[in-house]
C-alpha cells in the first residue's frame, strides 16, 4: 500500500524524465537464442514522449528483421516507425523482413488510449499502483541506487513490459509468468525488470 501511494504521489509531481535501458531477450527464435537492444526514453509531462529502441543483435544471416523502433508523441500528434511484422516461424526469409512501416496520427486527443504512450516506463502507475497482487521481496542495489524489489504476475505487469514492446517483434509471455521489478527507493522509477 505504501509503494502504491508513493507512486501515485510521484506521478503528480513529475515534469521530465530521461533514461536508458539495456534489454536482453531470450527465446524469441530457435536460431537466435539471445537478442540485445538499447532503449532511450525522454518524457515531458503531461503527454510528450520519445522512445528509441535500437537492435544490437548480430543475426546469423541476411533476411532477419532488425527490430529498431521509434515512437514520438507530443500531445496532439503521435508517430511510430517499426519493422514490418513477420511471424517467427517464417524467419529468415520472410518477404519484406528488411522493410519498416510508419504510422502517424494528427489532431490526436491527448491520452486517447488508441495511440499508446509508454508512461509506465517513467512511473509504473498502471502496473504497480493499481496492483492487487504485488509482493514486496525486499531491498537491493541496482545501478548504484537503493531499490525496492517487487514481483507480480505478467498479467498485472504487462503494461510496464509492453511499454518497451509497443512496436516491432517480440517474444510472447504467459499471463502467469512472474515479473520482477526493481523500483528506485526514493522516487519509484523502474530501474530494472525481468520476466
Amino acid at each position: 500500500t505504501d509503494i502504491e501511494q508513493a507512486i501515485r504521489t510521484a506521478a503528480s509531481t513529475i515534469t521530465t524524465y530521461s533514461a536508458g535501458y539495456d534489454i536482453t531477450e531470450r527465446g524469441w527464435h530457435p536460431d537466435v537464442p539471445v537478442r540485445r537492444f538499447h532503449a532511450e526514453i525522454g518524457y515531458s509531462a503531461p503527454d510528450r514522449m520519445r522512445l528509441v529502441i535500437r537492435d544490437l543483435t548480430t543475426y546469423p544471416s541476411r533476411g532477419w528483421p532488425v527490430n529498431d523502433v521509434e515512437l514520438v508523441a507530443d500531445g496532439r500528434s503521435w508517430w511510430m516507425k517499426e519493422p514490418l511484422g513477420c511471424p517467427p516461424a517464417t524467419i529468415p526469409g520472410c518477404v519484406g523482413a528488411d522493410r519498416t512501416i510508419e504510422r502517424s496520427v494528427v489532431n490526436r486527443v491527448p491520452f486517447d488510449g488508441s495511440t499508446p504512450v509508454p508512461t509506465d516506463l517513467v512511473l509504473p502507475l498502471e502496473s504497480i499502483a493499481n496492483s492487487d497482487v504485488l509482493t514486496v521481496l525486499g531491498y537491493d542495489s541496482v545501478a548504484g541506487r537503493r531499490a525496492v524489489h517487487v514481483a507480480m504476475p505478467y498479467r498485472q505487469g504487462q503494461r510496464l513490459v509492453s511499454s518497451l514492446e509497443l512496436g516491432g517483434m517480440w517474444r510472447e509471455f504467459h499471463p502467469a509468468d512472474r515479473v520482477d521489478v526493481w523500483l528506485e527507493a526514493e522516487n519509484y522509477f523502474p530501474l530494472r525488470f525481468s520476466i
Side-chain angles (χ1 to χ4, degrees):
T1 303
D2 292 343
I3 291 171
E4 293 172 16
Q5 185 57 46
I7 291 172
R8 290 182 193 285
T9 300
S12 67
T13 62
I14 189 166
T15 56
T16 60
Y17 176 83
S18 178
Y21 280 95
D22 291 322
I23 305 163
T24 303
E25 179 190 52
R26 293 176 177 83
W28 175 70
H29 192 281
D31 294 339
V32 182
V34 177
R35 294 197 303 172
R36 299 193 189 291
F37 305 87
H38 183 75
E40 291 290 330
I41 300 122
Y43 170 79
S44 179
D47 195 33
R48 296 172 58 93
M49 179 169 269
R50 181 162 193 247
L51 170 65
V52 177
I53 300 174
R54 293 291 172 239
D55 190 341
L56 307 175
T57 308
T58 302
Y59 291 97
S61 63
R62 292 177 40 113
W64 291 84
V66 176
N67 205 38
D68 289 341
V69 178
E70 292 182 54
L71 174 118
V72 178
D74 68 0
R76 301 293 297 161
S77 62
W78 181 94
W79 173 85
M80 183 163 39
K81 180 179 177 182
E82 64 182 319
L84 185 66
C86 293
T90 66
I91 301 170
C94 173
V95 175
D98 59 346
R99 293 192 3 222
T100 60
I101 58 172
E102 294 184 38
R103 295 181 282 151
S104 62
V105 175
V106 294
N107 297 322
R108 170 182 174 261
V109 176
F111 310 106
D112 73 350
S114 65
T115 51
V117 177
T119 54
D120 259 34
L121 284 174
V122 178
L123 280 171
L125 192 61
E126 295 293 324
S127 299
I128 293 176
N130 292 327
S131 177
D132 56 352
V133 290
L134 184 69
T135 303
V136 179
L137 300 174
Y139 288 89
D140 291 315
S141 179
V142 175
R145 296 174 183 251
R146 188 166 187 245
V148 180
H149 181 186
V150 299
M152 70 196 85
Y154 175 75
R155 70 180 175 275
Q156 187 67 46
Q158 181 179 9
R159 183 82 169 203
L160 173 62
V161 176
S162 65
S163 290
L164 288 172
E165 300 178 336
L166 288 175
M169 294 167 286
W170 302 90
R171 68 157 288 178
E172 294 182 9
F173 296 102
H174 187 275
D177 286 345
R178 179 172 142 169
V179 178
D180 284 75
V181 182
W182 288 263
L183 301 165
E184 197 269 339
E186 184 178 337
N187 297 307
Y188 295 92
F189 303 123
L191 295 171
R192 176 182 180 201
F193 57 91
S194 66
I195 305 96

